[in-house]
Amino acid sequence: MPIFSASDGTRLAYHLRGRGGEPLAVVPGGPMRASEYLGDLGGLTAHRRLALLDLRGTGDSEAPADPATYRCDRMVEDLEVWRDHMGLEHMDLLAHSAGAALAMLYAARHPQRIRRLVLVTPNPSALGLRAVAEDRLAAARLRAGEPWFGRAFPAFRAWLTGEADFDDVFLPFFHGRWDDTARAHTDAELRQTNEEAGERYFAEGAFTPDATRKALAALTAPVLVYAGALDGWPSPAVARRTAEAFPHAECAVQPGAAHYPWLDDPERFVGRTLAFLDR
């Protein structure tokens, strides 16, 4: 497990998995969930060497002396130090969910360091796009034929409208297939997540959408925005709006997938991602 020091001295860890060669740098979401949850990204390790970063205060990385550095924009420099540590002039970067917000800020600040960028079910808060409850409910209604829908949907709606707290009963909405793999994945989430850090990740001041959009409009690297057809945040429509922020972007929507497409259909996810990376 390689270790490097961030600019403030915090020791950060990352994990190398898969074949040799230049790595695909991977930023986890959560927010602030250890990279362990990404696994082998549906078997992508059979084709590419993955370098999976544990963000500060998660997984095997140290907690910083200053908790304010958990804010998304404060960690952009961690990615740049990481790139330099790995000896990469340019890097292929893949980010999932909340990690995509960090990757967008990095691409805006260091566009010359991005060779290809993959944003998997990305949180587009860095672009000023916000979650809309009705979008998430519309995606949830697509699951009306599932045996768990009758109990899950009212609880999900109550949570989205602020009438109730988060309830595990609606976790199936985040997965295209609610099977043993999905259950194990969700069971591990609490152990893998730094909740204090997650609460600070999107803190006020983290994003300046107009400036970010202006910077990303000059990005020359190809970008793939990867969405799940059953995901409510981002919905496929929001994923397409996210892709529009980049001059050289394409949007792929995986049928039958929700927020973790590499679990829902590993073969399709790996095939589409490799087609972009190896083009």
Side-chain angles (χ1 to χ4, degrees):
M1 178 185 63
I3 301 285
F4 67 98
S5 292
S7 56
D8 65 354
T10 304
R11 290 170 59 79
L12 304 180
Y14 62 102
H15 304 268
L16 294 172
R17 299 178 186 150
R19 301 177 59 181
E22 191 169 303
L24 169 64
V26 181
V27 178
M32 303 305 285
R33 186 172 178 180
S35 65
E36 176 187 359
Y37 84 94
L38 295 164
D40 64 358
L41 281 174
L44 196 55
T45 50
H47 308 274
R48 293 291 297 259
R49 190 184 196 198
L50 304 186
L52 300 110
L53 179 64
D54 282 339
L55 298 176
R56 50 181 54 216
T58 71
D60 293 306
S61 290
E62 284 184 345
D66 181 6
T69 61
Y70 287 134
R71 200 175 75 177
C72 184
D73 61 315
R74 300 285 297 275
M75 289 190 284
V76 170
E77 192 58 24
D78 290 352
L79 300 192
E80 177 60 3
V81 174
W82 182 38
R83 178 204 60 77
D84 184 64
H85 162 81
M86 291 191 291
L88 302 176
E89 184 68 20
H90 315 91
M91 63 179 174
D92 291 338
L93 181 63
L94 182 150
H96 174 241
S97 190
L102 175 55
M104 290 183 214
L105 295 184
Y106 178 82
R109 196 178 301 178
H110 301 282
Q112 75 280 8
R113 300 303 186 186
I114 299 290
R115 183 166 54 201
R116 290 186 182 273
L117 178 62
V118 182
L119 304 173
V120 180
T121 58
N123 183 310
S125 296
L127 303 175
L129 298 176
R130 301 297 181 189
V132 177
E134 188 49 46
D135 286 350
R136 303 186 76 168
L137 291 173
R141 290 187 184 99
L142 298 174
R143 319 296 295 279
E146 301 281 2
W148 42 261
F149 180 85
R151 292 181 61 234
F153 186 79
F156 192 49
R157 180 173 53 199
W159 175 63
L160 290 173
T161 56
E163 300 170 9
D165 294 332
F166 191 94
D167 191 327
D168 287 353
V169 73
F170 55 71
L171 285 172
F173 286 125
F174 296 91
H175 293 266
R177 298 185 304 174
W178 188 238
D179 54 14
D180 289 343
T181 297
R183 291 184 184 91
H185 193 260
T186 57
D187 287 346
E189 184 171 4
L190 184 61
R191 171 181 60 81
Q192 295 168 343
T193 302
N194 183 332
E195 292 187 341
E196 178 201 354
E199 290 174 358
R200 293 176 179 270
Y201 189 82
F202 292 117
E204 185 177 355
F207 304 120
T208 52
D210 290 344
T212 298
R213 285 179 174 275
K214 182 177 180 180
L216 290 177
L219 183 69
T220 59
V223 178
L224 172 64
V225 179
Y226 200 102
L230 302 178
D231 198 4
W233 182 242
S235 65
V238 170
R240 293 185 184 98
R241 290 175 62 193
T242 300
E244 291 171 358
F246 302 90
H248 306 289
E250 58 192 89
C251 183
V253 179
Q254 182 172 311
H259 202 59
Y260 306 94
W262 66 91
L263 296 179
D264 296 324
D265 188 341
E267 185 175 354
R268 182 184 289 268
F269 175 80
V270 170
R272 185 63 181 84
T273 302
L274 283 177
F276 172 77
L277 290 172
D278 294 342
R279 186 175 305 159

